[in-house]
Amino acid sequence: MLNKQSGNMYKFVTHTWNPIKGKCSHNCKYCYMKVWGKQKPARLVKKELKDDLGAGNFIFVGSSCDMWADDIPMEWVVKVLKKCKEHNNKYLFQSKNPERFVCIDILDFPKNMVLGTTIESNKMYNISNAPNVEDRVYWLSHMSQIFETTVTIEPILDFELSELVDLIKRVSPTWINIGADSKGHGLPEPSKKKIDKLVKELKKVTKVNLKKNLNRLL
């Protein structure tokens, strides 16, 4: 089902669409879907491939489950991309496993889209089973040579300024999104002073969007 943007979503997104649902292998500690209780295994909801995605929308595809995780069959992903190509919209595909972006034939992607990843910090924290941030940056930087890209720092965790800025520069994102933990997971968070410095440095290289949930730390 195509859903209008709501809650702590990106301001630029008009809708979300999640034809692939359930728990992915990343099992992020802060995953907002966990508030709904135990998740079912990942699955492709075939009836949603018949949804009318409209036209002129900016749709975040896979906002509730990382459909690019290693345990998601690539044939499901290809079917979702094929559906997207049938409608004249702009799409956001965001993953902590952007290596799988490289596995898709360029012609299978919709023409108007953005590829993104999440970088919570330059530091290593035991918060998920997802690939480490170095791998995320490496693979997304490859795709940034062809497609528009973005990076989301959410939930922002304590970081080292120069190291985090250097990571993001390597991706050459069109814009950056910064947000905080919204559900009180007790994660190691940076000070307001550090966030202010980060925003200042990032604005020198790209556009920076601050999410509403970041206000708690500012």
Side-chain angles (χ1 to χ4, degrees), residues 180-193:
D181 178 23
S182 299
K183 302 298 181 182
H185 292 99
L187 303 173
E189 297 178 321
S191 66
K192 176 184 184 302
K193 184 177 181 180

Side-chain angles (χ1 to χ4, degrees), residues 86-193:
E86 295 174 0
H87 297 266
N88 186 23
N89 295 304
K90 189 168 186 176
Y91 300 96
L92 170 63
F93 300 104
Q94 182 170 307
S95 176
K96 296 184 183 73
N97 189 28
E99 180 177 0
R100 294 197 94 193
F101 292 157
V102 183
C103 299
I104 295 291
D105 190 307
I106 292 176
L107 297 178
D108 285 336
F109 281 114
K111 291 182 179 179
N112 195 8
M113 66 163 197
V114 181
L115 297 177
T117 194
T118 300
I119 300 175
E120 304 94 339
S121 171
N122 69 289
K123 296 182 178 182
M124 296 290 291
Y125 292 104
N126 185 23
I127 55 174
S128 79
N129 298 324
N132 64 55
V133 294
E134 282 284 349
D135 287 343
R136 300 177 207 177
V137 168
Y138 176 82
W139 291 108
L140 190 60
S141 65
H142 278 61
M143 302 305 287
S144 68
Q145 300 173 32
I146 308 171
F147 299 110
E148 187 175 12
T149 58
T150 185
V151 169
T152 293
I153 308 174
E154 184 186 17
I156 188 169
L157 304 183
D158 193 30
F159 59 85
E160 296 165 321
L161 180 62
S162 59
E163 286 82 353
L164 181 55
V165 171
D166 286 345
L167 279 174
I168 291 170
K169 283 182 178 179
R170 284 163 53 189
V171 177
S172 301
T174 305
W175 74 87
I176 296 287
N177 312 291
I178 305 178
D181 178 23
S182 299
K183 302 298 181 182
H185 292 99
L187 303 173
E189 297 178 321
S191 66
K192 176 184 184 302
K193 184 177 181 180

Side-chain angles (χ1 to χ4, degrees), residues 178-208:
I178 305 178
D181 178 23
S182 299
K183 302 298 181 182
H185 292 99
L187 303 173
E189 297 178 321
S191 66
K192 176 184 184 302
K193 184 177 181 180
K194 291 185 76 170
I195 295 173
D196 288 341
K197 287 183 178 180
L198 176 64
V199 171
K200 181 179 180 181
E201 290 301 310
L202 291 178
K203 283 185 175 179
K204 295 178 182 178
V205 295
T206 191
K207 180 180 178 181
V208 179

